[in-house]
Amino acid sequence: MKFKIALTIFLLSVASVASAQNKHVIKARTTFISERYCEGIEDCSNAYFKITRKGKSAKKTKGEMAFMTAECYRFTEQFREANEWYERALLLDYQEDVPEIHYYNAEMFKMMTEYDKAIEQYELYLALVPDDDLAKNGVASCNMNKQFIAEKTRHVIENQTAINTDQFDMAPMIGDRKGTKVYWGSSRDGVTGKDSDARTCQEFMDLWVSDIDKKGNWTAPYLVKGDSINTEHNEGTVAFDQRFKKMFFTRCPVEKKQ
């Protein structure tokens, strides 16, 4: 009788632990599928650490949580953190289910200019998916970058601190024939929207522009003027027609509960 009672208590405790773990896993998956990557970093990593059970199924789920955490970091451009979580997923052999882990890990190494490590990951991926042209291009790109470093030119690249910020500044485009205007999307202070983007952890982006003054310096950026251009949603990725008379850009609206 005592043995039965003890066994019942043990099974109930195991079921309780498993239920708690499943709750965290379900929350992590929901957040990730909803592309709420800022929340996903916490939810997915939390689920990873909550999985304490042994066995093949638990190992696979733990690998999945590590992979999703890495993806959340990758989508928010936190390359070192993404790399660390891809490595955790690889230690759990999750590449057997998602071989792309090697490819994405290679991309992170490339972004951090660790080209030899990137090539190693690309080649591990190509061993699993031999016909992937993106991975082949990745290897070629790393080798070219190594060559560029070895054969430096006398060009000097300067950071344009007048227009660059710590926030996302993306997709610059020359906006006139003389090359005196540059347009880009940015989540910097002063944007039109008031909410944060759950995908980027930053404000919703607007379109900005800067001009070259008479001394050849870029002026302080300002919002692109015009009705219905900058809104509370994300705007970015500008293009122009050949005469620079028409501007085309991308808007990503956000709908509640979508």
Side-chain angles (χ1 to χ4, degrees), residues 208-225:
W208 295 75
V209 61
S210 177
D211 310 292
I212 293 182
D213 63 21
K214 294 180 180 180
K215 296 182 179 179
N217 299 316
W218 291 106
T219 61
Y222 54 94
L223 288 167
V224 174
K225 299 176 182 178

Side-chain angles (χ1 to χ4, degrees), residues 27-243:
K27 182 180 180 182
R29 287 171 177 163
T30 302
T31 304
F32 182 77
I33 292 171
S34 302
E35 299 184 1
R36 301 198 306 269
Y37 300 126
C38 304
E39 299 173 44
I41 290 172
E42 180 178 353
D43 289 348
C44 297
S45 61
N46 185 43
Y48 169 88
F49 288 116
K50 291 290 184 181
I51 299 173
T52 56
R53 290 172 292 150
K54 304 297 182 181
K56 187 175 181 180
S57 177
K59 179 183 178 182
K60 181 176 180 179
T61 304
K62 198 175 182 75
E64 178 193 2
M65 295 300 106
F67 172 68
M68 292 197 307
T69 304
E71 288 286 88
C72 289
Y73 276 120
R74 178 170 73 90
F75 285 127
T76 54
E77 298 193 6
Q78 301 180 68
F79 309 126
R80 178 62 65 189
E81 292 82 358
N83 161 245
E84 292 172 356
W85 280 93
Y86 285 132
E87 294 290 338
R88 292 187 181 191
L90 290 170
L91 289 173
L92 292 164
D93 298 321
Y94 197 62
Q95 68 274 19
E96 295 176 4
D97 295 281
V98 184
E100 287 81 7
I101 291 176
H102 284 303
Y103 175 80
Y104 294 136
N105 202 20
E107 292 283 284
M108 298 302 96
F109 279 125
K110 185 173 71 171
M111 294 299 292
M112 297 185 292
T113 69
E114 298 182 31
Y115 299 118
D116 290 332
K117 292 181 179 179
I119 291 172
E120 179 183 353
Q121 289 295 312
Y122 282 128
E123 290 178 343
L124 287 170
Y125 175 64
L126 285 168
L128 299 172
V129 189
D131 297 326
D132 194 303
D133 289 334
L134 287 176
K136 294 176 182 178
N137 290 339
V139 173
S141 175
C142 289
N143 285 324
M144 288 176 64
N145 275 289
K146 290 169 66 177
Q147 182 179 351
F148 293 153
I149 293 171
E151 301 174 3
K152 293 181 180 179
T153 68
R154 297 177 64 184
H155 294 87
V156 177
I157 299 174
E158 295 181 352
N159 180 9
Q160 296 300 315
T161 56
I163 57 177
N164 277 334
T165 64
D166 292 335
Q167 288 83 19
F168 283 143
D169 298 310
M170 58 163 282
M173 177 63 66
I174 297 299
D176 65 348
R177 291 182 176 180
K178 295 181 179 180
T180 60
K181 288 181 177 290
V182 63
Y183 292 74
W184 70 96
S186 178
S187 59
R188 66 185 58 212
D189 295 339
V191 293
T192 305
K194 297 180 180 179
D195 296 325
S196 296
D197 189 339
R199 297 181 70 193
T200 66
C201 312
Q202 298 191 17
E203 305 301 312
F204 287 117
M205 291 189 294
D206 278 339
L207 299 180
W208 295 75
V209 61
S210 177
D211 310 292
I212 293 182
D213 63 21
K214 294 180 180 180
K215 296 182 179 179
N217 299 316
W218 291 106
T219 61
Y222 54 94
L223 288 167
V224 174
K225 299 176 182 178
D227 293 336
S228 303
I229 294 180
N230 286 318
T231 68
E232 69 272 19
H233 305 296
N234 268 320
E235 285 87 24
T237 319
V238 178
F240 294 90
D241 67 355
Q242 290 184 333
R243 297 188 300 164

